[in-house]
């Protein structure tokens, strides 16, 4: 699981943004999270279940969701929705100029620019859809990880509750022996690779 960049973005903002300030900025966007919840999110001890927080954080930090979530290593200058608005504004400006019947040479250049902007716009839309798919996969992955952790804990509790006390010690010793064996195998694998 990728480590999110909430804390990094908060601390690199100029001026720095406190958890309380971030909580207030999210409230302005209609999302309510406590300082404590945000701290857990940024430290990776908890994962937000609401997709909207990632979009809101991307807007607050002027980047995209994937960067905030830790899936991208390069911070893009803005998020796709802001890019689309800028592209649409530029297309509209070109259309206004074209309405005034420019010279043929200028018209060709403007139409070529419009064509390139429309192509780029489609690329941004596809990227946004991919981001949404990635978000859904991340949420499913986090849920599976949490379910797996819960299941493992429940299994351990079940076994310990039903084993006789003298067998509990044996079971724990076997677990430690298995861990030692696993570490030994990993060490051998590491040596074989070098």
């Amino acid at each position: 699981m990728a480590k999110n960049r909430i804390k990094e973005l908060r601390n690199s903002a100029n001026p720095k943004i406190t958890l309380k300030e971030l909580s207030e900025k999210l409230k302005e966007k209609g999302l309510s999270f406590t300082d404590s919840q945000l701290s857990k999110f940024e430290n990776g001890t908890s994962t937000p279940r609401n997709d909207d927080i990632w979009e809101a954080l991307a807007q607050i930090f002027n980047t995209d969701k994937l960067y905030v979530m830790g899936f991208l290593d390069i911070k893009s200058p803005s998020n796709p929705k802001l890019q689309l608005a800028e592209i649409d504004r530029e297309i509209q400006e070109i259309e206004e100029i074209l309405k005034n019947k420019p010279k043929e040479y200028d018209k060709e250049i403007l139409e070529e620019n419009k064509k390139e902007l429309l192509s780029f716009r489609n690329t941004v839309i596809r990227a946004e859809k991919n981001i949404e798919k990635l978000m859904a996969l991340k949420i499913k992955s986090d849920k599976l990880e949490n379910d797996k952790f819960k299941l493992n804990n429940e299994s351990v509790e079940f076994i310990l509750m039903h084993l006789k006390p003298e067998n509990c010690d044996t079971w724990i010793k076997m677990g430690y022996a298995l861990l030692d064996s696993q570490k030994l195998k990993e060490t051998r694998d590491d040596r074989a690779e070098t």
Side-chain angles (χ1 to χ4, degrees), residues 59-169:
Q59 289 173 5
I60 290 167
F61 296 118
N62 191 29
T63 189
D64 60 56
K65 291 189 279 192
L66 289 180
Y67 184 79
V68 177
M69 295 169 73
F71 290 123
L72 293 178
D73 292 329
I74 299 169
K75 182 180 179 188
S76 67
S78 63
N79 67 48
K81 287 191 167 95
L82 295 176
Q83 287 176 335
L84 284 175
E86 180 63 23
I87 293 167
D88 288 343
R89 187 187 61 71
E90 289 181 30
I91 290 171
Q92 193 173 21
E93 284 177 14
I94 290 173
E95 288 172 346
E96 287 298 316
I97 295 169
L98 287 170
K99 284 180 186 176
N100 294 328
K101 299 185 180 172
K103 294 177 187 172
E104 193 59 35
Y105 174 76
D106 291 339
K107 182 179 176 184
E108 287 176 22
I109 292 172
L110 289 168
E111 286 175 347
E112 184 62 32
N113 286 345
K114 179 180 173 183
K115 184 178 170 184
E116 287 177 16
L117 284 169
L118 287 169
S119 174
F120 183 61
R121 185 181 195 287
N122 289 334
T123 301
V124 171
I125 289 170
R126 283 193 306 274
E128 179 66 13
K129 287 179 182 174
N130 288 338
I131 288 170
E132 289 169 6
K133 288 177 186 175
L134 212 74
M135 273 287 296
L137 286 173
K138 182 185 181 329
I139 289 169
K140 283 181 184 177
S141 170
D142 289 347
K143 184 178 179 338
L144 286 172
E145 198 64 36
N146 288 340
D147 290 349
K148 181 180 165 187
F149 180 76
K150 252 203 261 182
L151 182 62
N152 287 341
N153 282 344
E154 289 169 2
S155 298
V156 168
E157 286 177 24
F158 177 82
I159 291 169
L160 288 174
M161 283 180 11
H162 291 86
L163 281 177
K164 294 179 182 175
E166 62 271 12
N167 290 335
C168 283
D169 290 339

Side-chain angles (χ1 to χ4, degrees), residues 6-47:
I6 300 171
K7 189 173 196 172
E8 172 189 326
L9 289 165
R10 208 171 45 75
N11 289 329
S12 66
N14 190 10
K16 286 184 181 180
I17 299 173
T18 65
L19 284 171
K20 184 170 181 61
E21 291 167 335
L22 184 57
S23 176
E24 290 168 8
K25 287 179 183 280
L26 288 168
K27 279 183 186 151
E28 291 170 11
K29 297 189 175 293
L31 298 169
S32 181
F33 293 96
T34 66
D35 305 0
S36 175
Q37 286 174 307
L38 291 174
S39 177
K40 288 178 183 177
F41 296 160
E42 73 179 15
N43 291 319
T45 56
S46 180
T47 304

